[in-house]
Amino acid sequence: MRWRSQADFKQELAQLWQRGEILRAAHPGQNLFPLRLKLSRPSAGEISADFAAVRAWVEEFKQAAPFRVVWGQTTHRLYGAQQLPQEVWMDEAQAAAQCLGKMREWKLYAELLKHTAASCPALLSWLAKRPMQALELAPEWPQLLAVVQWRLAHPGRKILLRQIDAPGVHSKLIEAQRAVLAELFDLALPQEQIDTRYSGVAGFCARYGFADKPLRIRLRSLDSDWAIWPGANCPDLTIDVAHFSRLAPPLDKVLITENESNFLALPHMPGCLAIFGAGYGWEALAQADWLQQRQLYYWGDIDTHGFAILDQLRAHFPHAVSIMMDEATLLAHRQHWGREDKPRQAQLMRLRNAEQLLYQDLCSNRFAPQLRLEQERLEYGLVCARLAEVLASWPSTPRHTFPGSGNRQG
C-alpha cells in the first residue's frame, strides 16, 4: 500500500525510542507529546483508480487505538462525500511506550527518575541527556548515586577509590564506570571541588580529588660499586615516584631507554643509572629534581615517534642528550629497517640540528617510505661500544658531591 499505515506510525515511534526521545519525554517540561505523526493520504486520482483499496485503508483507521485520528470530509466527483483521516496523533509518551511493547523499560526509567529526584536532583539532566544509557546502567544506578552522594558528604578527602565506603559500592564498579562518574561529578560537585586541569579517565582521580595509584619507575644501577638494594648487583627494581624523587643516587649519568630488552641487557657502566621509559609520562620523572644535575641520555627508536618522545622529554629536561638516534646508526643497520604504521608530522621545536635534519628526512621519506629502525634491532656489540664511547666522553663527578641514599659495595 502506498499510504502510511499503523505499521509506519509504529516504525516512526520506534525510531524516536531508539534516540531516547520517548523516555526523555517523561521529564517535566517536555514538549514532544502530543505528537503529530506523518500522514500520507490517497489523492483524488488514486481514489478513482482503486476505491476498494482506499476503503480498506480507511477502515484500518477506525480501529487505530492508541493513535488518535482526526477525520475530515472530502468530496469526490465520482464517490461523493468521503470521510478520510486528516491527522494522526500519539497523545502521551507512556502510550507510545505501550504501543511499542516497552512498558517494562518505561516503568524502570520512571523509577530511575523518582529515585534520582529524591536523592540527587542535579543528575536529572544526565538522565534526560542519556536515557538509553541510563536503562543499561539501571542495575548499578543506585550505587553510582551512592558514590556521588558520598563524595558530596566527604569533600576534600584524598583517599584511594578502594577506600570509598558507600553502601553497596566496590572499587571494581568505580573503575569500570569512571567515564560515567566523571559526568555525574561534573554536574553534582561544587566547582571548587573539580580540578579542571585534568580530564578523561586517566585524569579522573586528580580531577575529583582522589588519591591515584602511585606511578612507579623501573630502574637499574649499572654501576656494580653502587647498589640501590644492599647486597644486590644491578637488580631490576621498581619504586614509586615519590621515593624515586628522593633517591638522588651518587651516580653522575642516567640513561633512559624505551625498550625492555635493551633495558635489561645494558652492560656495566660506571657511574650510570638506567631507567625504563615505558609506562608513565615524563611528568613523573620531572618530580625528581636531582635529575637536573645528572648527565641525562635518551635512547629511543629512530622514527618520527621516537623523536617526538625525545622532544617531550626535553620539555622537562632540556639538557637530555640522544644517543644512537643519528643518521650513521640508521645507515649502518639498513638490513633491519622496518615500517612505521602512523608517522608523525608535527613540528618538534626541541630537537637539535642533527636530530631535526634526520626527523625531517623521516617525515619526507628521504630514505624509504615510513622508515623505522627499532632500537632492539641494533647490533649488540655496536650498542656496547657506542655506549662506552659516549659515556666516557663525559667527565665523572666525584661521588661525594651527590647527596642522597645509596650503598657502596666492595
Side-chain angles (χ1 to χ4, degrees):
M1 186 178 292
R2 297 178 294 275
W3 316 300
R4 283 177 65 85
S5 65
Q6 292 189 44
D8 296 315
F9 302 142
K10 287 185 179 181
Q11 180 61 35
E12 186 177 344
L13 291 176
Q15 292 173 356
L16 292 172
W17 177 272
Q18 290 300 323
R19 297 202 301 265
E21 298 292 344
I22 295 177
L23 288 175
R24 196 171 288 118
H27 290 256
Q30 65 82 25
N31 56 11
L32 180 62
F33 292 89
L35 173 68
R36 183 177 179 176
L37 299 165
K38 299 175 183 177
L39 177 65
S40 58
R41 295 171 296 171
S43 65
E46 289 172 326
I47 294 175
S48 299
D50 197 349
F51 185 68
V54 173
R55 289 187 63 180
W57 177 75
V58 170
E59 287 297 319
E60 179 185 347
F61 281 89
K62 292 181 179 179
Q63 299 178 3
F67 302 105
R68 175 168 60 88
V69 181
V70 177
W71 295 86
Q73 181 172 295
T74 185
T75 301
H76 191 268
R77 62 183 180 84
L78 294 178
Y79 298 104
Q82 300 292 326
Q83 291 288 322
L84 295 178
Q86 300 294 314
E87 298 175 358
V88 177
W89 293 79
M90 177 59 71
D91 288 327
E92 297 180 351
Q94 183 172 340
Q98 186 170 18
C99 177
L100 295 170
K102 299 290 187 181
M103 280 305 295
R104 183 187 68 82
E105 292 88 344
W106 175 267
K107 292 178 180 179
L108 178 58
Y109 189 75
E111 284 298 316
L112 294 178
L113 282 179
K114 180 180 178 180
H115 185 49
T116 305
S119 60
C120 195
L123 302 183
L124 288 172
S125 61
W126 189 90
L127 293 176
K129 183 179 180 181
R130 306 190 187 280
M132 303 308 288
Q133 187 178 3
L135 283 181
E136 295 175 1
L137 290 171
E140 299 172 337
W141 189 249
Q143 289 74 41
L144 295 175
L145 288 181
V147 174
V148 175
Q149 291 175 301
W150 187 93
R151 196 48 169 164
L152 285 168
H154 302 85
R157 287 192 62 184
K158 198 172 182 64
I159 62 173
L160 294 168
L161 298 179
R162 180 66 180 91
Q163 295 173 291
I164 294 176
D165 191 19
V169 174
H170 51 81
S171 57
K172 282 189 173 294
L173 169 69
I174 298 173
E175 291 286 351
Q177 298 297 345
R178 279 184 296 175
V180 172
L181 282 168
E183 296 181 353
L184 302 184
F185 280 148
D186 281 348
L187 291 170
L189 297 183
Q191 286 301 307
E192 59 270 19
Q193 294 184 30
I194 302 175
D195 191 336
T196 56
R197 295 175 298 171
Y198 302 94
S199 62
V201 171
F204 179 83
C205 289
R207 183 176 177 87
Y208 305 109
F210 293 104
D212 211 343
K213 297 176 182 178
L215 294 173
R216 306 185 71 82
I217 294 176
R218 188 173 172 185
L219 64 156
R220 296 175 61 219
S221 170
L222 302 180
D223 187 337
S224 58
D225 286 341
W226 185 82
I228 304 172
W229 189 266
N233 186 21
C234 300
D236 176 10
L237 298 178
T238 303
I239 63 176
D240 62 85
V241 170
H243 285 87
F244 179 83
S245 66
R246 298 194 295 268
L247 185 64
L251 305 173
D252 56 1
K253 305 176 185 69
V254 176
L255 171 60
I256 303 172
T257 182
E258 291 288 326
N259 179 268
E260 184 178 36
S261 297
N262 287 336
F263 168 76
L264 293 172
L266 288 170
H268 170 77
M269 299 182 199
C272 188
L273 180 76
I275 294 175
F276 181 39
Y280 50 85
W282 298 130
E283 291 79 6
L285 286 183
Q287 297 179 38
D289 292 337
W290 56 268
L291 282 173
Q292 301 291 351
Q293 284 77 49
R294 302 303 191 271
Q295 296 154 15
L296 192 62
Y297 303 90
Y298 177 75
W299 177 23
D301 296 332
I302 302 180
D303 61 10
T304 62
H305 283 83
F307 283 112
I309 295 171
L310 172 62
D311 183 80
Q312 294 165 7
L313 175 63
R314 287 215 178 108
H316 301 282
F317 302 100
H319 65 294
V321 176
S322 65
I323 57 174
M324 291 179 285
M325 296 178 68
D326 52 78
E327 183 174 335
T329 301
L330 177 66
L331 297 179
H333 293 82
R334 187 182 296 269
Q335 71 275 24
H336 298 307
W337 286 1
R339 187 178 179 89
E340 188 177 19
D341 290 336
K342 296 179 180 179
R344 296 283 298 268
Q345 292 291 333
Q347 288 189 339
L348 305 180
M349 307 306 295
R350 303 181 188 93
L351 299 183
R352 296 173 185 171
N353 290 339
E355 297 163 350
Q356 188 67 250
L357 289 173
L358 182 52
Y359 173 70
Q360 295 299 330
D361 287 339
L362 294 171
C363 291
S364 64
N365 298 318
R366 175 193 168 196
F367 300 105
Q370 299 177 220
L371 177 58
R372 181 188 194 193
L373 176 60
E374 297 173 284
Q375 56 187 276
E376 63 267 35
R377 295 184 181 275
L378 273 59
E379 297 176 7
Y380 186 69
L382 183 149
V383 168
C384 293
R386 182 62 177 150
L387 288 173
E389 174 188 334
V390 171
L391 298 180
S393 66
W394 290 83
S396 296
T397 304
R399 293 175 187 268
H400 63 79
T401 63
F402 294 117
S405 60
N407 295 289
R408 187 175 177 86
Q409 292 182 327

